[in-house]
Structure formats: C-alpha cells, structure tokens
Amino acid sequence: MKCGAKRYQVEAEQNGEKQSKSIIARTPAEARKKFRSTFGADAQINTVKEIKRGTY
C-alpha cells in the first residue's frame, strides 16, 4: 500500500452487468485507471466513492 493511499468503491457497468469493486489508490482518478486496466477500457464507470476507515 502506497503512502497516502485510500480505499475506493468503484461501481461500473460492463456488458449490461453492474460491478462493484474495492480498489486501493491515492486519488479517485487513479482508482478509475486501475479499474479500467483490470476490467477493460469499455467499462462504463458510474461512481467512485471513498470508503472511510473502519468501515471495510
């Protein structure tokens, strides 16, 4: 885990299926980038929310 990293909940839709994944990143933009690199560039990302500490 990098310094300053947080956990983000990324909700996306791909091929008509909704996905929700938890990703560790420094910024919401980096979380989107990691999600797209893992699940493909054609995924439509709906929301990226920070998960506060103690709730995961």
Side-chain angles (χ1 to χ4, degrees):
M1 196 162 164
K2 293 182 178 181
C3 178
K6 300 172 187 167
R7 189 173 298 259
Y8 291 94
Q9 187 71 29
V10 179
E11 295 177 6
E13 190 172 332
Q14 185 177 25
N15 299 330
E17 297 179 21
K18 290 190 176 186
Q19 296 181 355
S20 182
K21 300 290 180 182
S22 178
I23 296 181
I24 297 173
R26 289 183 181 176
T27 63
E30 185 179 356
R32 286 185 190 93
K33 183 177 178 181
K34 286 185 177 184
F35 185 88
R36 285 192 181 113
S37 70
T38 304
F39 297 103
D42 62 334
Q44 177 66 34
I45 296 175
N46 297 330
T47 61
V48 178
K49 297 179 184 176
E50 181 182 345
I51 300 174
K52 299 295 182 184
R53 241 177 220 212
T55 60
Y56 49 92

